[in-house]
Each structure stands twice: as structure tokens, then as C-alpha cells.
Amino acid sequence: MSAAPPVSIAALRGVRLTSGALVDIALDGDEVLAVVPAGSPLPGTDGEVLDLDGYLVTAAGAEPHAHLDKSQSWDAIQPAFGDLERAIESWHAFAATLDEDDTLRRARSTALRMLASGITSVRTHVDLLRGEDALVGVRALVRLREELDGLMDIELVALGGPNIPDAVFEAALDAGVDLVGGAPHLADDPIADLERLIALARRRDVGLDLHTDESLAGADTLAAYARLVAGWNRPRTAGHCVRLSMMPATDLAALADEVRAADIGVIALPITNLYLQGWEADHAVPRGIAPIGRLKAAGVRVAAGADNVRDPFNPVGRCDHLETASLLVAAGHLAPADALDAVTTGARDVMNLPFAGPVAGARADLVAVRAASMGDAVAFADADRVVIHRGRLVSRTTVTTLTAVPTPTAAPATAS
């Protein structure tokens, strides 16, 4: 196929599932119509046919917690390496001069890198700024969402601290932001700020996505969050939750019961929290990753994301859900299958998106990665990828590698 994306796709042939089975997949618009053994007849639909021999297919990646307005600002800011407090200080100084077009340019670059890796849905926080023009970032990301309509689903969360008035949140929601966000654990009175944000979301009848307990010690806001939203029917999510990694098993089990009952989705953010946490320790440095394996076992809905990309909160990042999955295995002790689920179907579930994947009747949001197995896909994260959003090819990356061929050596002779 030589046509440039976007292109409607009728079928994928010869692709491997995570189970190891080789299949052909028929797509009908934005839906997976059929999944059959490779070489079997497929129902005819309109579109191109892709031969994907050597590729493994999964649900597309979903990024449940991004900060596109901050992304790729590290070089401009040149912040000091350090913890969350230093990162916040560096960002606030830079944000005082934030430019809408520059913010859009950086956000667009990051979003397109995500799309090329196979991420077709992004939930991004956007800062409500101090000063006269609080909505610079909001306007930039609303423009980005319009630009990428049809290529990627983008959901916006208004992120404001206790010093941001309700009227600014209201203006952001009026401008097109979808959810209320915040970081109540950083407020002087965490519970009061938590109650304010929940009341605001209830008043506007929108969901909540809060930064929650983003330190290895300190304020416990997750339990209060769970109690305050129990019985409410709008989406609610808690990101970071690194304090939970320091809790004894019995205490975590009790909290997990409350979180499950309140139906709060918990999002782990391994790369950013590995960078931000533990700076105060001079030995036996603790690592801060929400224990989503134990939470999932307790029935809590869980997901994982990358959070920040090359900004004061994280100087690195590849805009790749498979990087997040790999970190969940190495640093979070999740099995590769569970790690992959956390950045694909699990993330979509926490984001309240339709189920997607190579399953008949599912949303046709898929990514095919050149890999012999699911384990190889997570481990090697090959750059050769085919990305399908709502039944259309939206990105394809093909890498050519030329490597010198080694000279074979003979096995040493054995003594007779």
C-alpha cells in the first residue's frame, strides 16, 4: 500500500495476536468485524488490505495522563534537576511568559510522536495559569484537539491549584475543557481543596481527574476522595498515588476496598515518578510507583501512563506506551501481559473509552508492532508500527537497518 495516511482499512492479513495465533482481521468502518484464522475467508468491506506478516497486533495505546502544554520545554527552561517542588517552581517561572503558539507547537510535536508509536487516545491536563491570561494553555490545546480530530482522540483536564478561583475553572470548561483536575494534596488545606474541586465538578456535571497523594509521605487525600464521590455517576480518576507504595499491606487493602467501592480509576506514572521521588534520600533510595498490581488484584480499575515528556518534571521520555509498559515490568514488578494491558485496554477503561482491540465488535483502534511475541513487543518496542484509529490507517513507521554481517566461527574441536 503506497497511499499516505489517513486511509480506510478493510483487512489486516497474517497478523499475530498476543496469544500467538496467526489471524486475519476484517474491519468495517470504526469496528472490528471479524477475526479468523489466517488464510480463512473474510467478509468484504471497503478499504485497503494490509499484509502484516511478522507483526503483533494489540489494542492501540492510550495515554491516560499527559501534560502536553508542558511537554518539550526542558531545553527552553533549563531547570535544575530535582524533586517535585523544584519542578513546580521552574514551571511556574516559565509559565509566566507562556506563548500560545509555542505551546501549540510543542504539544503538537509530542502528540504526533505519541500517534506514531501507536497511541490514539490521550487525556492531557492543561494548567490554568496565574496572572491576567489564565487560559493560554487551554486555548493552545483546544486548537490542537481540533487539528487532530479524526486522527487522535484528545480529552482535556483543567489543572488548577488552590490559588486558582472557581471562575477560572468555569471559564476553562466553557472554552472546551472536559474534566476538572487539581492536586489537592499540595494545598495548605488538602481536604478543603479536594472538597472544592469535587463541588465544582458536581456543579458543572463533569468528571474528575485529580493528581492524588503525589509523594512518598504527606497528606492522605485518596481515602477522602473515595468517600466524597461514592454514589456519584461521573468519571473519576486518581493519578500518581505514589504514597500507596509505602503503605503496609493491611492498610493498602483497606484503602483499595474504598477506592473500588467508589469506582475511582488509579493511574500509575512510572517514568515521571521514578524521576521525581526519592531525592531526599542519600541511600536505599525509595522508588515511587503506585502499586497497581496489588490494586488490580483487589478489584480496582488501573492504568498507566507516561505523564511528563522532556519538561521540568521529567527530562526524558519517548512518547511510547511500550516504554511505560517496560518500566512497569522492571520497576513495578508487573508481568508483561498485565503491563501491556495497563497501557492499552486498561487505560481505555479508566478513560471511559469504548473497548478496542483485535476482537469482533470492538472499536477498530489497533497498533501492529513488528514482533514475534507479546514479550518481544514489550521488551524491544520495535519502531516498525502500523497505527489504526477508528478503522483508518493514521500512521505507519518502517525502519531500515544495515548492519555488518559477522564472520561465522567454527566450534572448537572436542578431544576424542
Side-chain angles (χ1 to χ4, degrees):
M1 191 198 77
S2 58
V7 178
S8 293
I9 301 300
L12 313 178
R13 291 198 175 273
V15 71
R16 191 177 300 278
L17 301 178
T18 57
S19 66
L22 284 174
V23 299
D24 295 338
I25 301 174
L27 308 182
D28 185 12
D30 67 358
E31 183 177 316
V32 176
L33 184 60
V35 180
V36 301
S40 303
L42 279 175
T45 58
D46 294 332
E48 300 282 343
V49 175
L50 298 179
D51 183 355
L52 294 181
D53 179 48
Y55 283 77
L56 177 110
V57 67
T58 72
E63 175 52 71
H65 186 118
H67 289 269
L68 293 180
D69 57 331
K70 296 183 174 76
S71 69
Q72 298 192 54
S73 60
W74 176 277
D75 290 342
I77 298 174
Q78 292 291 303
F81 285 92
D83 60 10
L84 179 61
E85 184 176 349
R86 288 187 179 184
I88 292 172
E89 291 172 354
S90 297
W91 171 252
H92 281 163
F94 179 73
T97 62
L98 201 65
D99 177 81
E100 182 179 330
D101 288 338
D102 179 64
T103 301
L104 174 60
R105 177 191 59 79
R106 291 184 287 100
R108 181 194 299 119
S109 173
T110 301
L112 291 177
R113 285 178 179 269
M114 290 178 173
L115 186 64
S117 80
I119 294 170
T120 62
S121 301
V122 178
R123 178 184 289 178
T124 177
H125 298 258
V126 55
D127 273 34
L128 306 181
L129 304 177
R130 304 170 181 178
E132 293 183 3
D133 191 356
L135 302 187
V136 175
V138 168
R139 292 196 301 273
L141 294 198
V142 168
R143 289 168 62 189
L144 177 70
R145 183 173 59 190
E146 292 171 354
E147 284 187 12
L148 297 184
D149 184 41
L151 304 179
M152 168 186 275
D153 295 326
I154 296 180
E155 191 174 34
L156 305 179
V157 185
L159 177 58
N163 58 322
I164 301 297
D166 285 9
V168 176
F169 278 95
E170 300 269 9
L173 292 167
D174 291 341
V177 169
D178 303 291
L179 305 169
V180 169
H185 58 284
L186 298 177
D188 291 337
D189 188 339
I191 302 304
D193 195 46
L194 174 68
E195 291 174 341
R196 177 182 78 112
L197 294 170
I198 292 172
L200 176 59
R202 285 180 179 271
R203 185 165 69 247
R204 291 297 297 251
D205 195 28
V206 299
L208 280 159
D209 189 332
L210 301 180
H211 291 54
T212 308
D213 296 4
E214 192 182 356
S215 61
L216 298 174
D220 171 7
T221 56
L222 183 55
Y225 185 9
R227 290 191 291 272
L228 289 167
V229 299
W232 190 39
N233 65 352
R234 301 299 288 178
R236 52 284 197 135
T237 312
H240 293 287
C241 300
V242 297
R243 188 183 61 82
L244 277 61
S245 67
M246 308 297 287
M247 295 179 68
T250 52
D251 294 345
L252 179 63
L255 179 58
D257 286 343
E258 290 189 84
V259 173
R260 183 190 66 250
D263 196 27
I264 296 174
V266 174
I267 301 171
L269 303 162
I271 188 169
T272 295
N273 285 132
L274 284 170
Y275 172 70
L276 288 176
Q277 303 300 323
W279 285 87
E280 70 284 356
D282 60 6
H283 70 285
V285 178
R287 310 285 50 203
I289 302 177
I292 60 171
R294 288 183 286 167
L295 293 172
K296 183 177 181 179
V300 176
R301 292 193 296 150
V302 299
D307 199 3
N308 300 80
V309 175
R310 299 218 66 233
D311 65 27
F313 299 81
N314 173 27
V316 291
R318 298 176 191 164
C319 304
D320 187 349
H321 63 294
L322 293 181
E323 178 187 37
T324 300
S326 180
L327 286 168
L328 289 174
V329 175
H333 293 171
L334 264 65
D338 290 331
L340 186 61
D341 180 77
V343 298
T344 55
T345 54
R348 291 184 67 89
D349 178 45
V350 167
M351 296 165 72
N352 296 282
L353 295 170
F355 176 75
V359 177
R363 171 69 60 81
D365 269 47
L366 307 167
V367 58
V369 181
R370 190 176 293 279
S373 68
M374 182 270 295
D376 277 357
V378 174
F380 300 136
D382 198 291
D384 281 6
R385 304 197 193 182
V386 174
V387 186
I388 295 171
H389 175 52
R390 301 194 181 203
R392 297 196 304 164
L393 177 73
V394 291
S395 182
R396 184 162 193 172
T397 302
T398 304
V399 177
T400 299
T401 302
L402 299 176
T403 303
V405 177
T407 303
T409 56
T414 58
S416 58

